[in-house]
Amino acid sequence: MVQAYKTETGNGGPGDRFTSSRVRRLLERWRGDSGIWRRGLLLASCAVVIALLMILHAQMPNRIGNLGSLAETFLPWLGVFIPVILVAAVWRRSVTALIALLLPTIVWLNLFGGLLTDKSVAGGDLTVATHNVNAGNPDPGGTAQDVAASGADVVALQELPQGQVSTYEEALAGTYKYHSVQGTVGLWSKYPLSDTAPVDINMGWTRAMRSTVQTPQGAVAVYVAHMPSVRVKLNAGFTANQRDNSADALGEAIAREPVARVVLLGDLNGTMNDRSLKAITSQMRSTQGAAGDGFGFSWPASFPMARIDQIMVRGIDPVSSWTLPQTDSDHLPIAARVRF
């Protein structure tokens, strides 16, 4: 009876003795292997290169195909190589590779480790949501209702086709009393809107707007923006010049904003790591970075790899940030709660 108890709980049972015996034999085999320092030099070199790419990403030039911005867009994914090298180093029985692997592991955790924990807290005065609904959305009404179901007080939509604006208006009319559509972007609110106008982001047509939302806690300037698309081309690299110019123009508009509380909602076609968005990111906080749980990737919806849809604030404290369930768009909607 006593023996059975020990075996079940793992206190010295046959299973534990077998496992410890295998580990002991493995260590003895490594200890007697004179090649554990010589093998795996290529793996060790790969580990060092990955660490350097993360450490020196800001020094990568953008002059050639916007290489720096491209690397910064997918920078967190360099961490995928760490477990791959780990498995290969163990299989090759290379102590050199295992030690070298500590470098990219420490760097990655320093850069992105804070995103792995849930930083959200209870409360909040205003809930906002944003969604690039996709011009080719086959169910615009259903998508609008899905976003409204989040309970957001303020909703921003981008990529609104002119022929479907009325569909979105009808689907959201029961939840949001106030709204405005400027070009291909729109803002819906449970609270009154004032001073609504397009924002010129140097595109030739309207893909950004600004409005003052009169909440019970005070006025909030809300910007809605859809930055120009970027492409990765073999002959031109990461083509993002128009996006970068528009980001600079939007950053200047936000810098001139007289209202103390500011919220930016939209598809910026870039991540918070992308240096080309610094005109915006340098003066605002990401709700996901400050109060989210995880990376909050939003694109593409089928297999999210980057958070190019953003909620940023100034003069307001984020308390929670999250992605919403998938709709018929190629982007995931995102939402956040903020406290004044």
Side-chain angles (χ1 to χ4, degrees):
M1 221 171 143
V2 174
Q3 179 64 38
Y5 172 76
K6 287 184 177 179
T7 300
E8 287 176 5
T9 57
N11 294 323
D16 290 337
R17 288 196 297 270
F18 178 72
T19 300
S20 62
S21 176
R22 291 187 62 181
V23 172
R24 193 180 305 112
R25 286 199 303 269
L26 178 62
L27 292 176
E28 289 173 353
R29 191 193 315 169
W30 280 48
R31 191 180 300 119
D33 186 353
S34 60
I36 58 176
W37 296 100
R38 294 193 301 270
R39 285 193 301 270
L41 295 180
L42 179 59
L43 291 174
S45 300
C46 291
V48 172
V49 169
I50 291 171
L52 291 176
L53 286 174
M54 290 188 286
I55 294 172
L56 303 175
H57 68 87
Q59 276 66 53
M60 291 184 190
N62 252 353
R63 293 186 299 274
I64 304 174
N66 287 296
L67 180 62
S69 289
L70 177 60
E72 289 164 343
T73 297
F74 300 102
L75 197 61
W77 287 95
L78 287 176
V80 170
F81 295 101
I82 294 176
V84 175
I85 295 176
L86 174 61
V87 171
V90 172
W91 180 71
R92 289 278 291 154
R93 299 203 303 274
S94 171
V95 172
T96 302
L98 289 174
I99 293 175
L101 192 59
L102 289 174
L103 183 58
T105 302
I106 292 171
V107 174
W108 191 92
L109 289 175
N110 181 62
L111 291 174
F112 305 111
L115 294 174
L116 300 179
T117 59
D118 186 359
K119 299 174 289 298
S120 63
V121 297
D125 298 311
L126 185 73
T127 301
V128 297
T130 181
H131 190 24
N132 179 326
V133 295
N134 187 2
N137 193 314
D139 184 17
T143 295
Q145 291 171 356
D146 288 343
V147 178
S150 67
D153 303 303
V154 175
V155 168
L157 301 181
Q158 304 90 50
E159 210 167 293
L160 296 169
Q162 185 175 6
Q164 293 184 349
V165 169
S166 60
T167 302
Y168 286 100
E169 290 174 332
E170 292 172 6
L172 296 171
T175 306
Y176 301 98
K177 184 177 180 180
Y178 308 94
H179 85 279
S180 175
V181 175
Q182 304 286 331
T184 60
V185 297
L187 183 66
W188 279 258
S189 172
K190 294 179 180 179
Y191 307 120
L193 303 177
S194 62
D195 301 324
T196 303
V199 175
D200 183 7
I201 56 173
N202 299 330
M203 289 192 64
W205 69 96
T206 301
R207 292 211 338 187
M209 62 177 290
R210 177 230 179 264
S211 186
T212 301
V213 180
Q214 300 292 342
T215 76
Q217 289 79 21
V220 182
V222 177
Y223 285 77
V224 183
H226 182 194
M227 295 290 102
S229 298
V230 297
R231 297 286 186 270
V232 179
K233 300 179 180 179
L234 292 177
N235 62 338
F238 189 57
T239 57
N241 291 337
Q242 189 178 20
R243 191 264 333 246
D244 298 347
N245 293 334
S246 292
D248 291 341
L250 181 61
E252 292 173 4
I254 294 173
R256 295 191 301 267
E257 176 56 52
V259 178
R261 301 184 182 114
V262 183
V263 176
L264 170 61
L265 306 168
D267 173 7
L268 302 191
N269 271 308
T271 68
M272 292 296 294
N273 296 316
D274 191 337
R275 73 191 72 173
S276 296
L277 299 184
K278 66 180 179 181
I280 301 170
T281 58
S282 62
Q283 57 179 318
M284 307 193 79
R285 298 174 67 194
S286 162
T287 59
Q288 185 67 24
D293 181 9
F295 289 93
F297 294 149
S298 63
W299 177 89
S302 56
F303 187 81
M305 297 185 64
R307 185 179 177 87
I308 63 174
D309 301 275
Q310 306 290 350
I311 299 177
M312 299 187 203
V313 297
R314 188 179 72 192
I316 301 174
D317 291 326
V319 298
S320 185
S321 187
W322 65 98
T323 56
L324 296 170
Q326 184 175 356
T327 69
D328 282 322
S329 172
D330 57 340
H331 291 244
L332 292 178
I334 60 175
R337 286 199 310 274
V338 297
R339 179 174 55 221
F340 295 165

